[in-house]
Amino acid sequence: MRQSIIYIVLFLLSLNHLSAQKHASGYQIEGDTVVFTFDIRDYKLFTNEQTNVRRNFKNMNVEDVIVSGNFNMWSRDGWQMRQIDKNIYQLKKSLDDFTDEYTWEFKFLINRKYWAEPDNSMPNITPATDEDGDKLYVYNLKFYSAKIDPDGNACFKLHGFDKAKKVVLSGSFNKWDEHLFRMKKTDNGWELTLQLRPGVYEYKFIVDGNWMEDPDNPYKRTNEYSGHNSVLNIKAPVTFHLNGYQEAQTVILTGSFVDWDEHKIKMKKNKDGIWEKTLMLSGGKHHYKFIVDGNWMEDPKNAVKEYDSSGNINSVVMVK
């Protein structure tokens, strides 16, 4: 009986291990923080950067580990990881440290000299290429700012298709990966909720290998195959403030987000005498100004400004 219990425990542990392997390797997103994790036990091979010779990782003496990817120009020394225990190194970065791209490639550099080589059991791998696009016959890891989150801000639903065996969500937020975001079956069809950064995304469903648009989403774009992708615009709340104009009669907020309309967005004065307005804005850069009793002005509290195509100076807000 005791031996049977041991076998059951080992079986359950193996299932947990298999389940864990379905998640992306090398990183996870916790709120607004990206946690890069290097575990020595996950790697079998390394490549000498100078000679391109590959060796067995078993006898590697790890002294330091660097996170290197196209998000930091494949830096050899900038993003050093901290050793957590005998086998694990970690580095935490804010999502704000990354550009408005949604996907990146990265690797771990050992002792400033050796690349840890991901194998094909890791779910978020992609073939590595050199600067000319030629294959290097090794893999990089893929990092997505999108993540599966039951409390996320983007719920994708596909109604019907109850006979389908597998439905995958694929889009610009995961570089059109055909495997990573597998949808869950529900009583009404299929569903998956993601946490996405503000931005405009294109996506499709893959139903048992067949690509299709979202039949419940009227917003579409023509793709390179003369078909269409469904489009989703994720917005974030942005609050604008103007202080010091308590005696003003009217304050208008205008900008590129309303095609510089001079009447549409009226600001309200709060109990502290500060004019304010909250808008839902798409990801990216937005130019704006205030119109105080008919007089146009930049935001005096915002040092970030740019010229527009007409030579005007505008205040700038970035939504990430």
Side-chain angles (χ1 to χ4, degrees):
M1 181 67 179
R2 180 179 177 85
Q3 189 175 22
S4 299
I5 293 174
I6 292 173
Y7 285 144
I8 292 172
V9 170
L10 289 174
F11 175 70
L12 292 174
L13 287 173
S14 67
L15 286 180
N16 288 335
H17 177 74
L18 290 172
S19 176
Q21 291 303 305
K22 295 179 182 179
H23 298 291
S25 298
Y27 80 98
Q28 61 184 17
I29 297 178
E30 299 176 354
D32 294 328
T33 302
V34 184
V35 182
F36 291 99
T37 302
F38 172 75
D39 190 331
I40 296 173
R41 295 165 295 185
D42 291 339
Y43 292 84
K44 298 177 181 177
L45 297 174
F46 64 85
T47 298
N48 186 308
E49 186 176 36
Q50 303 300 322
T51 65
N52 288 326
V53 174
R54 285 174 205 153
R55 301 293 189 204
N56 192 304
F57 212 97
K58 186 176 181 180
N59 298 319
M60 167 68 75
N61 180 26
V62 178
E63 297 176 357
D64 62 60
V65 183
I66 301 293
V67 179
S68 182
N70 53 7
F71 40 71
N72 63 7
M73 303 295 290
W74 295 97
S75 172
R76 274 33 173 201
D77 54 17
W79 290 23
Q80 186 165 0
M81 306 184 77
R82 182 170 64 90
Q83 188 169 8
I84 302 300
D85 61 26
K86 178 182 177 182
N87 297 302
I88 297 176
Y89 292 74
Q90 281 190 345
L91 176 67
K92 295 183 178 182
K93 286 285 185 179
S94 169
L95 274 173
D96 290 337
D97 291 332
F98 300 86
T99 66
D100 56 358
E101 295 294 325
Y102 311 129
T103 60
W104 298 267
E105 295 182 16
F106 71 99
K107 255 182 176 172
F108 298 109
L109 184 64
I110 314 302
N111 301 346
R112 318 290 171 109
K113 187 176 179 180
Y114 305 102
W115 294 105
E117 298 295 354
D119 62 42
N120 57 14
S121 68
M122 297 180 177
N124 55 314
I125 57 171
T126 187
T129 59
D130 62 19
E131 295 178 354
D132 299 321
D134 295 326
K135 291 182 179 180
L136 296 175
Y137 300 100
V138 290
Y139 295 109
N140 291 334
L141 292 172
K142 290 182 288 187
F143 157 43
Y144 306 108
S145 60
K147 68 168 182 173
I148 297 175
D149 185 346
D151 299 317
N153 57 3
C155 184
F156 296 84
K157 294 183 179 181
L158 178 63
H159 294 103
F161 297 91
D162 56 311
K163 302 296 184 183
K165 295 182 179 179
K166 184 173 74 170
V167 178
V168 175
L169 172 65
S170 181
S172 55
F173 41 74
N174 65 0
K175 214 169 184 178
W176 299 98
D177 190 286
E178 300 180 30
H179 308 283
L180 188 64
F181 290 156
R182 188 165 177 170
M183 301 183 73
K184 296 179 181 179
K185 195 167 187 179
T186 67
D187 293 338
N188 299 316
W190 300 81
E191 185 175 316
L192 188 66
T193 302
L194 301 181
Q195 180 64 36
L196 297 176
R197 300 175 74 181
V200 178
Y201 301 91
E202 298 183 25
Y203 70 97
K204 275 190 168 182
F205 300 123
I206 310 174
V207 182
D208 289 339
N210 299 308
W211 293 71
M212 63 173 290
E213 306 152 29
D214 184 343
D216 295 321
N217 183 355
Y219 301 102
K220 305 181 190 302
R221 282 182 181 171
T222 303
N223 60 31
E224 59 195 280
Y225 305 106
S226 300
H228 294 88
N229 299 329
S230 298
V231 177
L232 178 67
N233 188 355
I234 297 294
K235 299 182 178 183
V238 179
T239 300
F240 296 84
H241 295 97
L242 178 62
N243 194 6
Y245 292 84
Q246 290 90 342
E247 303 303 319
Q249 298 299 308
T250 305
V251 177
I252 302 294
L253 170 64
T254 187
S256 54
F257 39 80
V258 286
D259 199 23
W260 298 100
D261 190 293
E262 300 179 31
H263 308 283
K264 188 174 183 179
I265 306 175
K266 292 185 178 181
M267 302 183 73
K268 292 184 178 181
K269 191 162 47 176
N270 64 24
K271 62 181 181 180
D272 297 318
I274 299 173
W275 296 89
E276 63 181 11
K277 184 67 177 180
T278 299
L279 300 178
M280 297 296 293
L281 296 182
S282 301
K285 181 191 297 182
H286 303 275
H287 284 203
Y288 71 97
K289 276 186 174 178
F290 300 120
I291 309 176
V292 182
D293 290 339
N295 299 308
W296 290 64
M297 62 176 292
E298 303 148 28
D299 186 343
K301 295 293 186 179
N302 184 358
V304 183
K305 307 179 192 302
E306 280 187 355
Y307 284 96
D308 62 20
S309 58
S310 301
N312 302 306
I313 299 177
N314 302 316
S315 298
V316 175
V317 60
M318 290 292 299
V319 181
K320 294 184 178 182

